[in-house]
Amino acid sequence: TEWLPRIKAPVLLVWGSEDKDSPLSSGEKMASLIPESELVVLQGGGHFAYAEQYSKFRLHVQRFLREAE
């Protein structure tokens, strides 16, 4: 965690609300430490929420990349 505040690039964190391997609290902690980060929580998603809810994931990534330009 000591390195997270040093990240200079915008960061999109994607988390599943039901992730048992890396709990949502870990994502919230990372988002609080990384400047210019955004945490997206996919409701009902597990550890592989990005694959389980690919359509939602893709929309969030596209929006994030458009805003980063």
Side-chain angles (χ1 to χ4, degrees):
T1 56
E2 67 186 72
W3 292 94
L4 296 177
R6 299 178 187 182
I7 296 174
K8 302 293 185 207
V11 174
L12 177 65
L13 301 164
V14 179
W15 234 267
S17 65
E18 306 304 315
D19 189 335
K20 304 295 185 219
D21 297 306
S22 299
L24 180 55
S25 60
S26 296
E28 293 168 337
K29 175 78 172 184
M30 291 175 71
S32 73
L33 293 172
I34 301 171
E36 295 190 57
S37 67
E38 176 186 345
L39 174 63
V40 169
V41 179
L42 298 177
Q43 293 302 317
H47 190 65
F48 298 103
Y50 62 91
E52 297 164 3
Q53 299 181 28
Y54 179 73
S55 295
K56 289 180 185 177
F57 168 74
R58 185 174 49 99
L59 291 174
H60 286 291
V61 170
Q62 288 173 335
R63 177 196 46 78
F64 181 79
L65 292 173
R66 273 194 312 272
E67 291 175 2
E69 293 179 349

